[in-house]
Amino acid sequence: MKRILLFSFVTVWISSVFTFCATRTYSSENGVYVGDTLVKSGNRFVGVSFGDGGAVAEVSSLEQAMLITVCNNVPVDTCVIIDNYNDIWAEGENIYVMFGVDTLCFNAWKLPREVNMMNCFVANRGWKNHRFSHTFNISDAACDCDFFFQAYLPSEIPAWTKRTMKDIMANDIATLFSDDKDRTDVLRRIDVGAKTPKQIAAHYAKEHERLYRKEFDVADEEGKKWGPKYDYLFKMNPAYECGGRYITYRFYTYRYTMGAHGYMEEYYLTFDKVAGRLLGVEDIIEPKNFDFVIESLEKKICNHKRRNGETDSNASADLASLGSDFSTVLKESVKGRIYPRPALTENGLVFSYQPYENGAFAEGIIHFVIPYSEIANILKIER
C-alpha cells in the first residue's frame, strides 16, 4: 500500500494529530493508558501509547511508541516501535507503519515484540551498522545532553559518503550554537579521508560538547553551573538503488534545545556512485521539462493545502526567507528560486519539505512524491 502524499511527525507530536477511532480505555489496576484504537474485534483491541515501552530511547528527548493489545480491558501484549515513524493507521486487521516514503504492514493479532523501522528496511542487504553515542552534562544541569549517530553503509565506504556525513553533521551541530550563515567556522575541522564513520561522529560529538561547555559551563553567584538540554541525532540508511550506478539515502536528523519542541529533518538524497557526487534537478530531469515537474509538484502541494483550508501552493522559496537555515545539501537554486533537492525512491521522485517550510510545525515533514508513471519519459536516468 502506498500513499502519494506522505507526512512525518516526531513521535512526541503524533498523539495530538491521530484521527483514528478515538476509543480510549484506562485500566487503573494495571496503570496503563491506551490511546487511539487502531483495530478492534469483540473484547480485544490494539491501541497506541507513548513512552519507552521498557526500552531506553537513544536520545532521551525523543519518545518511542507502543502498540498495546488489550483483552477484556487488560493489556496482554506490547509491540515497541523503535525509530521515528511518520504515521500509523489500520485497514481491516492490518496495521500500517510509515517510515519516510515506505510502509510496513503487520497483522494486528500477530505483532512482533518490537519493530525497528530502520533495520526492517536494510535487512539482508549486507550493509554494516555504524553506531556511536555520547552523553555529557555539567555539574548542576538537570538533564544530560545526548549525541547519537547511526549509519548503514557498504563494506567499502567511498570518500563522498563520508564527506556527505561530515557536511550534514557540521551544519547541524553549528546550527545549535550559531545563527550566522557562516556558522561552520565555529567548528574544528576534520579530514575524513582515513577516518571511519564512528571516528567522524566522535569528532562532532566532541565539538558538540566543546561548544556547549564554551556557552554554558560558567559558574553563577552561588558557584553552580547549569546548562539546558541540547540533544542531537543523526541517522542515514540506503533507501533505493537504481541501475547499479545511483543510490538514494534517507537522512533523519533531530536537534533539541529545551524549547517547546525539537526540530527534525527527514530527506532523501540521490548520489552518482561512479562520479561520487550528489545529484540535483538537472541531473535527474531534462531542463526543458523542469516546469512540467514543478507544476505537478505544486498541484500536490495545493491539494494538501486545500485539505487544511489554505491556498498557498508555492513549491519554491527565495533565499532571504530561508535565512541561515539554507543548506545546499538539502536545497538548490533553480531559475533563481530555491527548491528541495529531488531524489529517486521506489515510489517515485520525492521533494521533501521540512517543518515550517510548507505548513505549520504540527504538520511535520511533508514528502510530496511524483509517481514515475507521470514522469517516466522525462527522466534523464534510466530505471
Side-chain angles (χ1 to χ4, degrees), residues 115-130:
V115 177
N116 188 313
M117 301 295 289
M118 184 181 286
N119 288 351
C120 289
F121 284 101
V122 299
N124 304 318
R125 296 184 62 177
W127 298 76
K128 184 177 179 181
N129 184 6
H130 301 263

Side-chain angles (χ1 to χ4, degrees), residues 91-141:
E91 293 183 8
E93 293 191 348
N94 289 330
I95 294 177
Y96 296 89
V97 185
M98 189 179 293
F99 179 74
V101 299
D102 295 300
T103 303
L104 290 173
C105 177
F106 301 94
N107 183 280
W109 313 120
K110 298 179 181 179
L111 293 172
R113 184 64 58 188
E114 66 178 33
V115 177
N116 188 313
M117 301 295 289
M118 184 181 286
N119 288 351
C120 289
F121 284 101
V122 299
N124 304 318
R125 296 184 62 177
W127 298 76
K128 184 177 179 181
N129 184 6
H130 301 263
R131 294 167 57 99
F132 178 84
S133 62
H134 177 64
T135 298
F136 66 91
N137 61 23
I138 54 181
S139 59
D140 295 291

Side-chain angles (χ1 to χ4, degrees), residues 63-97:
E63 290 186 334
Q64 293 177 326
M66 285 190 298
L67 300 179
I68 304 179
T69 303
V70 177
C71 184
N72 293 323
N73 208 30
V74 177
V76 296
D77 198 13
T78 60
C79 171
V80 180
I81 299 178
I82 299 173
D83 218 324
N84 61 290
Y85 62 92
N86 307 69
D87 198 359
I88 302 179
W89 72 97
E91 293 183 8
E93 293 191 348
N94 289 330
I95 294 177
Y96 296 89
V97 185

Side-chain angles (χ1 to χ4, degrees), residues 36-56:
D36 298 309
T37 297
L38 296 175
V39 178
K40 183 175 177 61
S41 176
N43 61 356
R44 64 175 178 167
F45 65 90
V46 177
V48 64
S49 183
F50 295 89
D52 63 14
V56 177

Side-chain angles (χ1 to χ4, degrees), residues 204-232:
Y204 285 108
K206 290 178 180 178
E207 287 300 278
H208 181 203
E209 181 174 357
R210 179 181 69 84
L211 292 175
Y212 181 92
R213 293 189 180 281
K214 181 180 178 181
E215 183 81 15
F216 300 111
D217 198 1
V218 179
D220 61 17
E221 295 178 353
E222 298 178 354
K224 295 183 178 181
K225 296 179 180 180
W226 181 91
K229 185 172 181 58
Y230 269 36
D231 291 341
Y232 178 68

